[in-house]
Every structure is written in structure tokens, then in C-alpha cells.
Amino acid sequence: MTRSDDDSWDILTGVGSTAVIVAALRAEEARSPGPLARDEFAELLISAPQLKELRETISSEWASSPEHQEDYRRLVSYHAVRTHFFDRFCTDSSAAGIEQVVILAAGLDSRAYRLAWTADTTVYELDMPEVLEYKSETLAVHHAEPRCARHPIGIDLRKDWPLALREHEGLLPFLSAEAQHDIFGQVDGLSAPGSRVAAEDYSGAGLKQAIAMQRDGATPTGESNLDPGDVWFDDADVNCADWFGSRGWLTEVLDSRRESERLGRPVHSLLRGDDPVFANFITAVKH
Ligand SMILES: C[S@@+](CC[C@H](N)C(=O)[O-])C[C@H]1O[C@@H](n2cnc3c(N)ncnc32)[C@H](O)[C@@H]1O
């Protein structure tokens, strides 16, 4: 898929299908014995009839060679660690009295339905309209009820989005550097003192290049539009912690490799290869 500044998608296409991929990774973790993070809605969200073909494509790609199976295991573990990190950020923030939570690029994130929010919590989920409609409708079919006041807001985050950011995950590689600067600036401008941000930061990780190299060296397994590297921007290398730190936010950077070791699920690199590819988990508090 060729990216442009005004491209759009639904749950089955382009960037939208990456929401299905990460939900499939959470579903796998939830099925495992003793999961690090149990997203019991992930399986429901990837099992709707209209996703059957996409789901089969994802499964067959991951099963297509021992190397892909190894990547799959790494990705399941990494996403378990990442889900655990953002879950804890949300529940800690909620326990500390934060009542408004904004999830940018929420995709098939089910935190509004599964986390133990304190009373009076409102969760705003922002993503493309078709992605959020798919999630709301699918969970309604299963009579799932949010555990907070949930407000899905269908919007393109490159254009206009209304509310302060408390958390974003799995979004930044899908935005150009300019769009990231815009979003960070909007977050800063709209955040009251005491606001918190959490983000997954791939800046400097060389992830897109590593995927491209792996793809070049791989045996083709057939036509597919499922490669996240295709929908990432080449210039999307803005260091989130530096950005917020230089504007007076108190930032902390957690190396995802250390966190995965701490949690007993070591992932030393997201992908096979000589150079480790990994993300940092960033938190920031506004003074
Ligand atoms: C890899 S998924 C992650 C979803 C979710 N954060 C999770 O971890 O399950 C990326 C998400 O970013 C959303 N996204 C990317 N760029 C966006 C934009 N410009 N506007 C709205 N949503 C966007 C996609 O629709 C997709 O749901």
C-alpha cells in the first residue's frame, strides 16, 4: 500500500488491518497458559465473519516457514509485554485520580471493556470511523459492556482531533514526522498540569529498514498486503521522550527489552537479524 497524507482505510484494508494483526497477537497470548496480559475480547474481535479471509491470510503467513513462526512467537511475547505496560499505565493513572483517558489510534483495543477503571472514568477512543464502528458493533453483538463511559470518536488523527492525549500505542510509525510533531504539539497544548502520556517509541530502532532487509532475503510466500513496513513512513523518526522532555514534561524511558526480561518474557529483538530492533515505552507527566 502506498501511503499518502490523506489515505484512508477500514478494518480490512491498509493500516486498518494492522489493528487485526495486533489483536490476533493478543488473542494468542490470552489462549496461552498464564498469560501476561489477558485480553478476553481479542478473540471475539478477530472472529467476526467479515474478517475470515484476512484472518486466514494472517495465520497462513505466520505458519509459512520456521522463520515466520519464530517472528510470530517474538511478536506475541512483545505485544504481551506492551499490553501489560499500557494496562498498568492506565490502571495506575486511574487509581491516581485521572478520570479522562484518551486513547489515540485505539484500533481493536478493548481496555474500555476490560480494565478496572475507577468510578467516573471516561475513555475516549480515537481512530478511523470504520475501525471504531467495526469494534463497537462486534462487541455489541456479544453483549459486551464497557466498564467506564466510553466515547468512540471516529477521526483521522492527521486532520483534527479534539481531546487531550493520555495514552497512545501502535500509532507513531504510521504517521509522518510532520504529523507526529503536530500531534505532540496538540497534546501539549491541550494538556492540563498533571496530565500523563504513555507511548511506544520506535525512533532510532530501524524497524522499517530491518523489515525491508528481512523481506529482501526471504523466500516469497505469495502476494500479501499485510506487511506493516509498507504502511510506515520512512521519516517517522521523532524521539517522543526528547520532544516532551524539551517542553518541560517529566519523562521516563523504559527499554522494552529490560521490561520483557523483568516480566520473564525476554524479547531481545522484535525481528531476526544481527542488529536488535526494539521499542522504548515512554511515559511523561506535565508539570
Ligand atoms: C497497529 S494498530 C494499533 C491499534 C491499537 N493501539 C492496539 O494496540 O491494538 C494501528 C492503529 O492506528 C490507527 N491509525 C493509524 N493512523 C491513523 C490516523 N491517521 N488516524 C486515525 N487512526 C490511525 C489505525 O487505524 C489502527 O487502528
Side-chain angles (χ1 to χ4, degrees):
M1 179 192 175
T2 307
R3 297 298 313 271
S4 65
D5 286 340
D6 59 355
D7 54 350
S8 72
W9 52 85
D10 59 22
I11 193 67
L12 290 172
T13 52
V15 188
S17 62
T18 67
V20 179
I21 294 174
V22 292
L25 297 168
R26 290 195 292 269
E28 179 70 35
E29 176 70 13
R31 280 192 294 269
S32 70
L36 195 52
R38 190 193 301 273
D39 180 352
E40 65 268 32
F41 296 99
E43 188 71 48
L44 299 180
L45 284 163
I46 61 169
S47 301
Q50 63 266 48
L51 260 53
K52 186 167 182 289
E53 203 178 318
L54 175 60
R55 191 181 168 170
E56 283 169 3
T57 309
I58 294 171
S59 307
S60 65
E61 273 213 12
W62 276 331
S64 63
S65 68
E67 290 79 17
H68 281 85
Q69 286 164 18
E70 188 194 326
D71 284 343
Y72 177 59
R73 283 191 293 276
R74 284 173 197 242
L75 288 171
V76 170
S77 267
Y78 172 72
H79 283 79
V81 172
R82 157 174 133 166
T83 304
H84 181 273
F85 171 80
F86 283 97
D87 281 0
R88 202 182 54 186
F89 174 80
C90 288
T91 47
D92 286 355
S93 300
S94 186
I98 300 262
E99 291 181 342
Q100 282 191 318
V101 179
V102 182
I103 304 178
L104 293 193
L108 300 183
D109 180 322
S110 66
R111 291 189 174 92
Y113 293 80
R114 66 183 175 81
L115 293 188
W117 303 103
T118 52
D120 300 325
T121 300
T122 303
V123 174
Y124 300 91
E125 296 181 0
L126 278 62
D127 206 298
M128 287 297 204
E130 291 85 351
V131 171
L132 293 178
E133 275 158 28
Y134 168 80
K135 174 164 65 176
S136 302
E137 284 163 15
T138 304
L139 291 178
V141 166
H142 293 282
H143 309 291
E145 294 283 349
R147 303 179 68 179
C148 57
R150 171 179 178 257
H151 293 282
I153 299 172
I155 196 161
D156 184 338
L157 293 163
R158 294 163 298 187
K159 296 200 169 113
D160 178 29
W161 58 276
L163 293 160
L165 167 70
R166 298 287 186 269
E167 175 205 358
H168 59 180
E169 166 193 21
L171 165 68
L172 297 177
F174 301 109
L175 297 171
S176 66
E178 188 186 350
Q180 289 186 31
H181 279 287
D182 286 350
I183 286 196
F184 293 166
Q186 286 161 312
V187 168
D188 188 29
L190 293 171
S191 293
S195 297
R196 303 175 181 200
V197 164
E200 179 193 38
D201 186 356
Y202 283 103
S203 62
L207 188 50
K208 188 172 169 100
Q209 291 85 338
I211 287 179
M213 278 165 59
Q214 231 180 54
R215 193 197 298 131
D216 290 346
T219 312
T221 54
E223 275 303 305
S224 160
N225 65 350
L226 285 176
D227 189 338
D230 286 343
V231 288
W232 287 337
F233 279 89
D234 288 322
D235 70 341
D237 226 9
V238 183
N239 185 305
C240 178
D242 286 353
W243 196 100
F244 282 98
S246 68
R247 275 129 185 116
W249 292 61
L250 188 63
T251 59
E252 275 184 39
V253 179
L254 180 60
D255 182 321
S256 64
R257 292 171 298 185
R258 300 243 156 69
E259 182 66 351
S260 67
E261 272 160 29
R262 187 184 74 80
L263 294 170
R265 296 286 293 273
V267 185
H268 299 296
S269 176
L270 268 169
L271 296 170
R272 285 167 284 120
D274 295 334
D275 296 322
V277 174
F278 65 96
N280 284 320
F281 300 134
I282 311 294
T283 50
V285 180
K286 183 159 179 165
H287 284 291

